[in-house]
Amino acid sequence: MDTQPSRLLIRRLRAEYLVPADCPDPRRVRELGDAALTRGLGESLRVHLARGFPEADTGVWLIRRLEVNVDINAAWDREQVTRASSERIAEALGLALRDGDDGEDVLWFPSPAALLARFLVDTAAGTAGNRWYYARFVGLRMLPASSALRTALCDDPAQGQAALLGMAPDELRAVLRALTVQDSRRALQAVAGVGAAGSEMSCFRAAWSAWQTAGADLLLADDEWRASLRLYLGACLEANDVGGPPLLSAARALVRLHRSLHAASDDRRRDLLAALSAGSLAGLYDALGADSEPLAPLLRCPAGWVAEVAQGLVVGSGAGPAEGASEARYTPFGGLFLLLPLLAELPLEEDTQGWPAAGDVSADKVVRFLLLLKCLGHDRAPLLWADPVARDLLAIPPTLSIDGLSDWGKRVGPAHLRGFLRALNAWPGPGEAPEGATWVLARTRAGGEELALLLGGKRGEWRAITRCGGRAPEAVLGTLGAQLGGEGSIPSLLLADPALLSAAERHPGSQSVIGLGSEEARQAADEDPALAQVLARLSRLPEDLTSLALPRALGLRPALDRALSVPAQGVLRAFASRLPGFAHSGLPYLQGSFLDFRACLHEEESRRVVELSPPPLQLILNVAGLTRATYSLEWLDDRPLCLFPAE
């Protein structure tokens, strides 16, 4: 509870004096009024407002404007004018507050921390803007969102922690996602610097309890400091007697332990667990090197407790299955269960014939896994790469490391990629362009590169993609045509970017080519609603490409990454076509609104039961029948996956 005394802050006071035309000394009236309003008004208001605003009240009222009319006698002294003014101000204030918060000119917050929380949420969403009730944060308006969030939190860390703890889960998730790695670290260190320190073991127990409650949020965080901050806050909610540096160390240790266990090979994982069980600092360094430093506090915990926690992290849940129950495994990437049937439809085994294997993992399995990473979004790819549930469902063994993936990617050459895209374009998928359909040749920038894309089909599926910066337009068209297959010709009906228009007109096989933005293009869009939708989405190509790009940490060459974005976009467009009213939504919107939720997988003898937690737009998925489905995957055993909404 905020223990500061109640106070009234008048940010700006403007006084206008109306006097009779025959007033002998108007200047004296103004001087009298100014003196009354600047000397003694505060104490007089305190007396008048004391009953209505007790000291124990932590609420914050914000009033945009208060107009007060005061009749005074020019013969009065300053104290009389002050008393009359404070009486009328108190009366006007009471009337303004009588009807309560109206959401526009009068707002109420239960505490200063609640006001700060609203500012943080709006800043993360990019909607704080110049709202009048954020006047106290005016100095942060010109800062980037992450810097503004960090500054607001660190200015009063105790109040910042209270603001974060009072947020709804979705609000907290949005605020943490808006923080950069460095700002997450500084915010956590500031909050921990003022927290009441608990015993080390009590902090570990509270952090582990919080992990079991909020594991999905922790797994969704794309860096350790953001995940550690989330875990620190969760532990503070679990227990009142924990905090400070011991809790910070406990949160970091659990986050690092989870990531180390999921990124390690079986042998490395065994070495790590053996070192923790033996309490061996040297064993930790042998297993992880310098990455083991945050794990050192675990060596002071009981070995049995550490083993229990490690086992819970390995299986992806806070506790093992109950006796007699089916094995339960949790994943924050529940959206993968909605995409697996679409990925299963792609003829990847045929399309990747002749590709090198990644160790003992065939190319089609590697490509399928990478497509899933792309479909669930750039920011989530690093953790999805290490997710054991996703790996098991796509038959990716823990032996396939990032180094192994990078080495595999270097052995996938241009000829492999051309053949792959040709095979995909020859496959009669659900988005195949009907006879006479108009295709679009677009140019855009994403990831620091200038790219050319060929879009075709009923929903504007990407058909070919290549780098065009610094290359002759004819070479760009030639590469795109080669990716389509056949004789390498561009489709006959084409709307082309003006920079590529001349080359498209001269390209072999081109019959009717018109420029994007031309009157003919507008007329074509008027006659074809599907084409109009495709053209409307062209401005979102950069964000779509960015959302599909794999992080550089995975070590893939840009050409391979781009080529895989083509079928990934097709999978998401096919998914969107099943959502009533959302067939033409942007890819980041689809990822955030329909595919961002956790799931629980129960392994049973005859089937795999999947409980889907509610995504943001669950109602649409229910209407589309996607949350209750049964399907099998040919690369797994015969047990089907049965999807149900979580109770």
Side-chain angles (χ1 to χ4, degrees):
M1 178 180 292
D2 194 332
T3 58
Q4 294 184 355
S6 298
R7 63 193 182 110
L8 173 68
L9 173 64
I10 301 175
R11 189 166 296 276
R12 182 181 296 109
L13 189 150
R14 177 182 177 185
E16 294 184 357
Y17 302 99
L18 300 179
V19 297
D22 57 353
C23 177
D25 193 357
R27 179 177 298 179
R28 179 184 177 281
V29 175
R30 187 191 66 187
E31 292 174 349
L32 176 65
D34 288 350
L37 295 176
T38 56
R39 295 162 54 192
L41 180 63
E43 178 62 24
S44 182
L45 280 172
R46 187 187 66 80
V47 174
H48 283 96
L49 298 174
R51 294 182 180 178
F53 299 91
E55 292 293 336
D57 186 1
T58 62
V60 177
W61 286 96
L62 297 177
I63 302 175
R64 190 171 193 175
R65 183 180 295 106
L66 193 67
E67 294 187 4
V68 181
N69 294 316
V70 183
D71 294 327
I72 64 174
N73 190 325
W76 287 353
D77 59 25
R78 179 179 59 80
E79 292 184 358
Q80 289 176 301
V81 176
T82 298
R83 187 165 51 252
S85 299
S86 61
E87 288 176 354
R88 293 306 306 274
I89 291 174
E91 180 183 351
L93 187 61
L95 290 174
L97 303 184
R98 182 179 58 189
D99 296 329
D101 188 331
D102 64 9
E104 294 184 5
D105 295 320
V106 178
L107 291 90
W108 178 82
F109 299 90
S111 67
L115 171 58
L116 174 59
R118 180 161 175 180
F119 171 75
L120 296 174
V121 171
D122 286 349
T123 299
T127 57
N130 295 319
R131 295 184 178 181
W132 67 269
Y133 45 87
Y134 293 146
R136 66 178 62 188
F137 306 112
V138 65
L140 307 181
R141 288 176 180 170
M142 301 304 294
L143 295 177
S146 180
S147 299
L149 293 171
R150 180 252 305 158
T151 303
L153 288 169
C154 296
D155 184 57
D156 186 342
Q159 192 173 101
Q161 175 175 319
L164 294 172
L165 291 175
M167 292 179 184
D170 288 346
E171 294 174 335
L172 179 59
R173 188 180 301 118
V175 170
L176 295 186
R177 282 179 176 173
L179 287 168
T180 64
V181 175
Q182 291 301 322
D183 286 336
S184 298
R185 177 177 183 171
R186 294 175 64 180
L188 174 56
Q189 291 172 334
V191 168
V194 298
S199 70
E200 187 172 54
M201 196 59 214
S202 64
C203 288
F204 265 110
R205 294 189 184 281
W208 178 234
S209 179
W211 185 288
Q212 294 169 289
T213 302
D217 279 348
L218 297 166
L219 294 171
L220 286 173
D222 55 5
D223 69 80
E224 289 194 17
W225 285 104
R226 187 179 291 117
S228 298
L229 176 55
R230 175 65 182 87
L231 185 55
Y232 184 98
L233 297 170
C236 290
L237 292 174
E238 292 287 336
N240 296 325
D241 58 346
V242 299
L247 182 57
L248 187 157
S249 296
R252 284 207 66 204
L254 291 184
V255 170
R256 177 62 60 85
L257 178 60
H258 170 265
R259 295 181 178 224
S260 299
L261 289 171
H262 283 262
S265 64
D266 287 343
D267 291 341
R268 183 70 59 87
R269 188 181 299 123
R270 281 193 295 269
D271 293 342
L272 173 58
L273 294 177
L276 289 172
S277 299
S280 171
L281 182 60
L284 276 184
Y285 274 87
D286 287 342
L288 296 178
D291 287 343
S292 63
E293 183 177 350
L295 299 179
L298 284 166
L299 300 177
R300 297 188 290 271
C301 299
W305 183 84
V306 174
E308 177 187 343
V309 169
Q311 180 63 22
L313 292 175
V314 168
V315 301
S317 65
E323 185 176 356
S326 62
E327 181 184 357
R329 306 174 67 195
Y330 293 87
T331 175
F333 306 103
L336 69 88
F337 293 102
L338 305 182
L339 298 177
L340 283 176
L342 296 171
L343 290 170
E345 293 179 4
L346 296 175
L348 296 179
E349 188 172 359
E350 302 171 14
D351 296 348
T352 58
Q353 281 191 1
W355 284 39
D360 56 353
V361 186
S362 61
D364 61 302
K365 292 179 180 177
V366 179
V367 169
R368 188 177 291 111
F369 190 37
L370 293 177
L371 292 181
L372 177 64
L373 265 63
K374 284 177 167 288
C375 287
L376 290 185
H378 171 91
D379 292 340
R380 307 177 73 197
L383 284 180
L384 178 55
W385 167 261
D387 185 71
V389 174
R391 279 182 166 249
D392 288 350
L393 288 171
L394 281 93
I396 303 296
T399 52
L400 180 58
S401 64
I402 289 180
D403 289 341
L405 176 70
S406 178
D407 177 68
W408 169 82
K410 293 174 183 176
R411 292 182 285 121
V412 177
H416 293 124
L417 299 181
R418 285 195 299 271
F420 175 71
L421 292 175
R422 286 177 181 175
L424 283 175
N425 280 301
W427 180 61
E432 184 179 13
E435 187 71 23
T438 301
W439 292 48
V440 177
L441 176 60
R443 188 170 58 98
T444 189
R445 289 193 65 84
E449 288 190 311
E450 186 178 346
L451 303 173
L453 294 93
L454 190 63
L455 294 75
K458 293 174 287 188
R459 296 184 295 271
E461 289 83 1
W462 299 352
R463 298 294 177 148
I465 184 170
T466 189
R467 178 179 56 85
C468 60
R471 300 175 64 197
E474 289 76 13
V476 172
L477 270 291
T479 301
L480 295 176
Q483 293 177 7
L484 288 182
E487 298 179 356
S489 63
I490 296 296
S492 57
L493 300 175
L494 184 69
L495 296 182
D497 183 275
L500 302 172
L501 180 60
S502 297
E505 290 174 337
R506 295 191 300 270
H507 194 82
S510 297
Q511 298 177 15
S512 178
V513 182
I514 57 179
L516 282 171
S518 66
E519 182 59 36
E520 295 167 288
R522 285 190 286 270
Q523 183 177 351
D526 290 341
E527 297 173 354
D528 185 351
L531 174 62
Q533 290 282 3
V534 173
L535 297 180
R537 288 206 315 269
L538 291 183
S539 62
R540 298 205 295 264
L541 280 177
E543 62 186 50
D544 284 352
L545 284 161
T546 300
S547 72
L548 293 178
L550 291 173
R552 292 183 179 179
L554 293 183
L556 293 186
R557 295 184 300 107
L560 173 56
D561 189 16
R562 288 195 299 268
L564 295 181
S565 290
V566 173
Q569 188 263 2
V571 168
L572 287 176
R573 289 265 65 90
F575 172 71
S577 70
R578 305 183 181 191
L579 306 174
F582 294 88
H584 297 282
S585 297
L587 303 190
Y589 183 83
L590 293 173
Q591 292 162 342
S593 300
F594 296 101
L595 298 172
D596 186 359
F597 59 91
R598 67 183 306 195
C600 178
L601 173 64
H602 299 271
E603 299 276 358
E604 297 181 356
E605 185 175 352
S606 60
R607 63 176 184 169
R608 294 178 173 90
V609 177
V610 183
E611 294 182 73
L612 306 177
S613 297
L617 293 181
Q618 181 186 25
L619 178 61
I620 304 300
L621 291 177
N622 291 344
V623 171
L626 298 180
T627 55
R628 292 183 181 274
T630 300
Y631 57 84
S632 298
L633 301 174
E634 62 178 2
W635 59 85
L636 294 179
D637 56 35
D638 293 334
R639 290 180 296 162
L641 286 96
C642 304
L643 276 52
F644 300 96
E647 296 295 336

